[in-house]
Amino acid sequence: MSGGPAVTVSIESTCEKQVQEVALDGTETYVPPLSMSQNLAKLAQRIDFSQGSDSEEDEVEGEPRDREWNKQETEEEEGTVKFQPSLWPWDSVRNNLRSALTEMCVLHDVLSVVKEKKYMALDPVSQDPAANKTPQVFQLISKKKLLGTAAQLLLKGAEKLSKSVAENQENRRQRDFNSELLRLRSQWKLRKVGDKILGDLSYRSAGSLFPHHGTFEVIKNTDIDLDKKTPEDYCPLDVQIPCDLEGSAYIKVSIQKQSPDIGDLGTVSLFRRLPKTKAGTQQWHVKLEAAQNVLLCKEIFAQLSREAVQIKSQIPHIVVKNQIISQPFPGLQLSISLCHSTGEKKNHRASPEKPKPDDHLYVLEHNLHQMMREFHKQQLSSVVMPHPASAPFGHKRMRLAGPMAYDKAEISNLQQNEGLLEKIIKQAKHIFLRSRTARTIDSLASRIEDPQIQAHWSNINDVYESSVKVLITSQGYEQICKSIQLQLNIGVEQIRVVHRDGRVMSQHQVHAVQQLAKVMGWQVLSFSNHVGLGPVESIGNASAVTVASPNGEYAISVRNGPESGCKVLVQFPRSQTKELPKSDVIQDPKWSHLRGPSKEVHWSKMEGRNFVYKMELLMAALTPCP
Amino acid sequence: MEAPPVTSMPVTGGAVNMMEYLLQGSVLDQALESLLHRLRGLCDNMDPETFTDHELVYLLKGQQGNPFILRARRSLSHPTSPWHLRYLGQPEVGDKSRHALVRNCVDVAASHSLPEFLNEMGFRMDHEFTANGHIFRKGVMKIVVSKLSRILVPGNTENTERLSLSYLVELSGLAPAGQDTVSEDMRSFAEQLKPLVHLEKIDPSKQRH
């Protein structure tokens, strides 16, 4: 009844039907049980309505028994209901029915009397109209109040929910801000001043002496609307960098032919190189890095311009606006400019065509950055630290200047002479010289085909020195004819050429012949690097060689000069000459095997792709097969 | 000679008048590690530098009241380094709002014959002590954390006895006369060291007894 689910209880009477008859085949015929109305009628017949409830005391005697009940039932067939003490459980029913009968009789009597309208009359009761409506309004008001209470409860609950949701979001944002701050702190120097968080993006802690404060401020990004969805690149942290470090900057170093118009100075285009941002880096990181780069570029340019003004040199350097112009070589102009673009406004004075990318020497720009950082590092070297501790900072060796009584020359030796500008000019000179040498060698190599010119540039170079080995060989005969090897050391202002043996190029051919003769088995009869006969050469001297065939019958003479070209003569044995000078003295035929007059070879018509090849063919032709 | 290359002071005859700005404090031995750690983080990024010095204080008593004091200091860890002779003037009393002690300072490097020379000049050694500790640098400022020890036998630097159970912390900066920017930097730096060590200006004349 309370709590548990309703259990259906079915009540079945174990009514054993009385067997009326048993048939011969075993089937039993039951006495049909009494129906409800029959049962009720049977029971009602036993109630004695004439007996009142005051006669209940008599019922105490004896309990009704079925036998007695059955026996008494037969006595009641007359129809009169006598009070039976065995009907005690039905007594209340009997009494209630009796009182109901009484009431009904009274009502019947009253109604019959009222119907006559003589002694009693019925009057309708007047209805109060207000009484009807007040319950409605009252109901309305009460309903309203109830609804109001319910609504208030719901509202309170909703308020609490929304507050907790907002708090969660706030917490998340707060936590995000803190974790971002932690990440920021792991990469940049931060400190708390009052209630502001300031940071330092200058290179001062790395040894710079540039008087820029480089302070940035970290602010919380609170302009986010909680209702709207947070944007993808939302960052709860924002940095505010000093206004003069905004945008991006780089230093452009370029070498050009001297511009005749000096009015062009100071109008360097500021085309913006788009910085590549790695995916995943925060906005503040990109901003801070760019600002730091701008600061470094400014420092480099300030140092360069200061040196340009202070250092005395033969050709003075010009410093105009954001450009420094100097002349490393006559006719050549080196310009170093600081290109700083703030990014907001487009620079309308950009040059009409995009500046040539190879105009900008990236290597020198990189070197400038490196040298600046090198300078910073020197400031921090432990050489500067004083021992004893009370001494002021300064280079260790400079401190000895006093006690050791150094003179001015020694002190100037100690101090660093070269500034940034000088270094970069030297490097620019070297680069220019190197490129000029390379171009010259390449043009020569492409122009001169016979002896081939090969240039091997060494990979390991200095900023001020490079070297290249030039080999002059003939194609196909590199192993035998490798006499000429030049090494060029390209410095800042000069090129030093070191020959292997100290020879001029035209001698190469003659040497080649000499080597070839060794290979072919020909005998070298004479060889001279500088012949004194024949036309005088303007550069160097002509050289000549004479080689004889293995059997001695033929001889080849070669005279090669740088300007006169090469001349090849072949000496034939006397027996092969057309005309035989008749002589009475020489009788023996063996003398006809001696070499006789010589004939010139039309060298240009000879077959063969280069000199040495032709020579080889010639030698082969003159060597008779055995 | 200590000014960064960007600024240049107009030199009016002789050498530039240098002023020393000084703030001092002390930490107990137990707190040394945390102080060193913090200094390492705040100062310029260099390898930590330790030093061992021996200082002699020379007095020249004249007819006037105040004797003339010169401090000669040499490094025991770098014996070949020159001696350092220092004169410190009276602290400037002009500006009460200035946070650091300011006094005139003259620094001279000297050869190893300095003690004999001073003796010849008439100076008498008043006292000597050894100091060893760490030295840091931030820009123009120098931070020295040192432990002072008394020398028991004059001239013998091996036999020393600690003067106290704490370390002396000194924050100093050298600047030409007239430039006051160092003072601000020193004040903000001292602020950053606040909970670990309190650096304040201690007037040496008030300490004299």
Side-chain angles (χ1 to χ4, degrees):
Chain A
M1 231 173 311
S2 61
V7 177
T8 42
V9 176
S10 51
I11 300 173
E12 212 178 272
S13 61
T14 60
C15 59
E16 298 247 346
K17 299 189 189 125
Q18 279 190 322
V19 179
Q20 191 183 12
E21 189 189 329
V22 179
L24 286 169
D25 56 1
T27 50
E28 298 166 337
T29 317
Y30 296 106
V31 173
L34 291 172
S35 70
M36 276 285 286
S37 49
Q38 282 177 344
N39 209 6
L40 193 62
K42 191 170 111 186
L43 289 172
Q45 276 177 358
R46 277 197 236 121
I47 299 174
D48 184 15
F49 283 99
S50 59
Q51 288 288 328
S53 50
D54 34 88
S55 55
E56 281 177 8
E57 292 90 10
D58 300 353
E59 300 165 354
V60 180
E61 319 166 330
E63 283 289 319
R65 281 191 198 134
D66 283 356
R67 277 178 281 124
E68 221 172 61
W69 184 53
N70 279 334
K71 192 175 64 179
Q72 285 158 9
E73 201 175 7
T74 51
E75 294 173 2
E76 285 171 281
E77 281 179 351
E78 297 153 5
T80 53
V81 181
K82 285 190 195 141
F83 172 68
Q84 314 270 340
S86 62
L87 282 180
W88 182 60
W90 292 100
D91 187 49
S92 59
V93 173
R94 197 257 315 264
N95 287 335
N96 285 340
L97 278 172
R98 235 169 89 212
S99 53
L101 175 66
T102 317
E103 295 288 325
M104 286 302 293
C105 291
V106 165
L107 185 61
H108 177 262
D109 292 336
V110 166
L111 280 173
S112 53
V113 163
V114 160
K115 205 167 137 193
E116 277 183 48
K117 287 191 191 168
K118 228 197 285 193
Y119 307 105
M120 260 206 267
L122 283 175
D123 263 333
V125 178
S126 63
Q127 295 283 326
D128 194 357
N132 275 339
K133 286 186 192 147
T134 13
Q136 277 188 12
V137 173
F138 184 69
Q139 275 181 14
L140 212 61
I141 290 176
S142 66
K143 276 214 173 89
K144 197 170 164 190
K145 231 191 207 170
L146 292 168
L147 281 173
T149 327
Q152 261 198 357
L153 276 169
L154 283 172
L155 273 172
K156 242 195 248 176
E159 228 181 82
K160 275 197 190 152
L161 261 177
S162 65
K163 224 196 278 181
S164 75
V165 163
E167 250 181 46
N168 265 349
Q169 274 201 7
E170 187 64 37
N171 277 347
R172 223 180 319 128
R173 266 202 304 128
Q174 191 69 20
R175 262 184 273 123
D176 276 347
F177 173 74
N178 284 335
S179 58
E180 278 298 313
L181 191 64
L182 202 65
R183 230 187 295 173
L184 179 65
R185 192 152 188 260
S186 68
Q187 295 178 19
W188 298 88
K189 283 180 91 143
L190 295 177
R191 66 179 191 274
K192 204 166 160 77
V193 174
D195 57 348
K196 289 197 286 189
I197 302 175
L198 298 177
D200 182 18
L201 56 77
S202 72
Y203 279 94
R204 272 202 288 187
S205 58
S208 161
L209 297 171
F210 197 53
H212 194 284
H213 55 89
T215 317
F216 64 91
E217 193 182 334
V218 179
I219 47 181
K220 208 187 218 180
N221 200 358
T222 47
D223 57 351
I224 176 80
D225 205 352
L226 279 170
D227 295 333
K228 297 197 205 128
K229 191 161 137 3
T230 54
E232 277 302 314
D233 56 348
Y234 166 67
C235 190
L237 201 126
D238 204 9
V239 291
Q240 205 170 29
I241 49 181
C243 47
D244 54 343
L245 297 181
E246 280 176 16
S248 67
Y250 63 94
I251 300 222
K252 178 172 168 192
V253 185
S254 62
I255 296 180
Q256 299 129 1
K257 291 275 179 265
Q258 178 127 34
S259 58
D261 185 9
I262 214 162
D264 253 354
L265 300 176
T267 60
V268 184
S269 65
L270 297 176
F271 83 101
R272 195 161 160 254
R273 258 197 323 217
L274 292 165
K276 301 182 291 238
T277 50
K278 275 197 304 214
T281 50
Q282 296 291 336
Q283 248 183 9
W284 44 260
H285 192 71
V286 170
K287 245 187 180 177
L288 289 172
E289 270 191 357
Q292 201 175 45
N293 189 38
V294 172
L295 186 60
L296 187 66
C297 290
K298 282 195 169 195
E299 185 177 352
I300 292 174
F301 195 75
Q303 175 89 359
L304 286 171
S305 39
R306 192 169 48 242
E307 285 174 18
V309 172
Q310 283 176 359
I311 293 172
K312 298 181 187 45
S313 73
Q314 289 141 344
I315 306 171
H317 315 285
I318 306 170
V319 181
V320 176
K321 274 202 239 176
N322 66 336
Q323 209 177 13
I324 300 172
I325 299 177
S326 73
Q327 286 192 357
F329 290 124
L332 207 65
Q333 179 177 297
L334 169 74
S335 88
I336 304 172
S337 40
L338 171 68
C339 304
H340 182 192
S341 66
T342 46
E344 274 125 18
K345 47 179 169 52
K346 293 256 181 241
N347 189 19
H348 296 293
R349 278 172 59 220
S351 59
E353 93 281 357
K354 246 200 145 89
K356 306 169 274 295
D358 39 79
D359 191 32
H360 180 175
L361 292 164
Y362 294 99
V363 177
L364 288 183
E365 181 192 347
H366 173 75
N367 283 356
L368 271 174
H369 280 254
Q370 260 195 338
M371 286 195 285
M372 198 71 220
R373 290 290 301 128
E374 198 60 46
F375 174 71
H376 290 170
K377 245 198 209 160
Q378 268 181 13
Q379 294 299 110
L380 285 185
S381 72
S382 63
V383 178
V384 170
M385 287 304 235
H387 286 271
S390 54
F393 292 124
H395 201 272
K396 189 167 66 170
R397 269 187 250 133
M398 280 300 285
R399 229 171 278 138
L400 286 170
M404 297 297 182
Y406 288 161
D407 57 7
K408 192 166 176 215
E410 288 177 26
I411 290 180
S412 54
N413 277 346
L414 281 180
Q415 279 174 344
Q416 191 145 39
N417 285 332
E418 273 186 355
L420 212 59
L421 185 66
E422 281 188 353
K423 280 190 193 162
I424 207 71
I425 289 179
K426 273 168 67 168
Q427 288 181 15
K429 279 188 190 173
H430 175 71
I431 283 182
F432 175 72
L433 228 77
R434 190 172 61 193
S435 58
R436 178 72 85 81
T437 312
R439 245 182 306 158
T440 314
I441 291 179
D442 287 343
S443 63
L444 270 177
S446 53
R447 212 158 34 93
I448 300 171
E449 281 182 9
D450 199 347
Q452 285 179 325
I453 302 178
Q454 296 172 17
H456 296 287
W457 289 86
S458 100
N459 269 334
I460 302 167
N461 288 333
D462 190 40
V463 274
Y464 300 131
E465 212 170 296
S466 310
S467 84
V468 60
K469 261 206 172 100
V470 178
L471 283 160
I472 303 176
T473 55
S474 296
Q475 192 186 18
Y477 299 92
E478 286 87 1
Q479 278 301 98
I480 12 177
C481 311
K482 50 178 175 180
S483 57
I484 306 272
Q485 278 178 20
L486 312 172
Q487 175 161 355
L488 283 84
N489 288 330
I490 305 169
V492 173
E493 278 170 2
Q494 59 192 2
I495 303 179
R496 235 169 14 143
V497 184
V498 178
H499 283 231
R500 209 174 73 143
D501 293 334
R503 291 169 187 155
V504 193
M505 194 148 73
S506 71
Q507 295 164 348
H508 165 77
Q509 312 280 35
V510 173
H511 279 270
V513 173
Q514 191 187 21
Q515 310 279 13
L516 192 64
K518 259 191 263 179
V519 171
M520 301 281 285
W522 283 50
Q523 178 84 22
V524 175
L525 294 178
S526 79
F527 171 74
S528 163
N529 253 335
H530 311 278
V531 294
L533 307 168
V536 177
E537 312 282 340
S538 56
I539 313 167
N541 290 322
S543 40
V545 66
T546 309
V547 292
S549 66
N551 58 6
E553 290 193 345
Y554 296 93
I556 301 177
S557 312
V558 179
R559 182 186 188 275
N560 199 358
E563 280 194 356
S564 54
C566 84
K567 198 164 162 189
V568 182
L569 291 160
V570 176
Q571 209 173 20
F572 292 90
R574 293 170 73 121
S575 52
Q576 286 191 14
T577 52
K578 291 276 176 4
E579 40 169 69
L580 258 166
K582 284 235 194 290
S583 174
D584 298 326
V585 183
I586 305 161
Q587 300 284 339
D588 210 336
K590 70 179 175 186
W591 299 111
S592 62
H593 292 287
L594 284 180
R595 285 192 295 271
S598 44
K599 250 185 177 172
E600 192 171 341
V601 178
H602 292 277
W603 200 241
S604 47
K605 292 194 188 143
M606 259 301 284
E607 211 176 275
R609 55 172 181 263
N610 54 26
F611 177 86
V612 186
Y613 190 49
K614 290 179 188 175
M615 188 55 65
E616 191 187 352
L617 283 177
L618 182 63
M619 285 183 181
L622 293 174
T623 312
C625 305
Chain B
M1 69 193 145
E2 287 315 299
V6 185
T7 60
S8 56
M9 277 293 293
V11 179
T12 55
V16 183
N17 213 12
M18 298 297 276
M19 309 296 281
E20 190 208 26
Y21 292 76
L22 180 68
L23 284 173
Q24 289 172 314
S26 73
V27 285
L28 290 174
D29 282 350
Q30 302 96 301
L32 179 70
E33 271 309 309
S34 42
L35 177 66
L36 289 179
H37 208 71
R38 190 159 171 91
L39 282 172
R40 190 101 193 266
L42 287 172
C43 296
D44 285 351
N45 195 11
M46 295 165 69
D47 287 332
E49 192 90 5
T50 56
F51 70 92
T52 312
D53 286 348
H54 172 211
E55 181 160 334
L56 303 93
V57 181
Y58 284 87
L59 286 182
L60 181 69
K61 286 198 173 68
Q63 282 82 16
Q64 300 96 331
N66 283 345
F68 189 75
I69 303 175
L70 277 183
R71 297 172 175 272
R73 194 158 170 151
R74 67 168 170 145
S75 171
L76 294 172
S77 50
H78 291 66
T80 50
S81 297
W83 283 66
H84 177 232
L85 188 65
R86 188 165 231 215
Y87 165 71
L88 294 168
Q90 293 298 319
E92 274 189 24
V93 288
D95 203 350
K96 281 283 182 250
S97 67
R98 209 179 272 163
H99 305 275
L101 188 73
V102 186
R103 50 194 181 180
N104 191 19
C105 163
V106 180
D107 292 298
V108 176
S111 62
H112 292 265
S113 53
L114 183 65
E116 293 94 32
F117 176 76
L118 288 171
N119 277 327
E120 292 293 320
M121 291 288 286
F123 287 85
R124 291 290 162 256
M125 190 184 80
D126 186 43
H127 61 273
E128 56 179 347
F129 59 91
T130 58
N132 61 346
H134 304 258
I135 176 167
F136 296 90
R137 176 194 163 158
K138 185 170 172 74
V140 208
M141 300 186 289
K142 189 193 331 179
I143 300 100
V144 180
V145 180
S146 55
K147 182 126 189 101
L148 304 174
S149 314
R150 185 203 348 241
I151 292 181
L152 298 166
V153 178
N156 187 3
T157 50
E158 304 296 321
N159 208 359
T160 56
E161 175 204 335
R162 283 178 172 190
L163 275 174
S164 66
L165 293 171
S166 50
Y167 276 78
L168 175 67
V169 183
E170 285 174 312
L171 169 66
S172 60
L174 271 178
Q179 255 190 19
D180 218 19
T181 48
V182 188
S183 167
E184 264 315 298
D185 291 339
M186 284 175 60
R187 193 186 61 82
S188 56
F189 191 77
E191 283 290 319
Q192 294 184 23
L193 284 178
K194 254 304 157 66
L196 282 174
V197 59
H198 286 271
L199 293 171
E200 50 208 11
K201 69 173 175 184
I202 298 168
D203 201 350
S205 56
K206 296 201 180 81
Q207 305 287 320
R208 202 78 57 78
H209 50 266

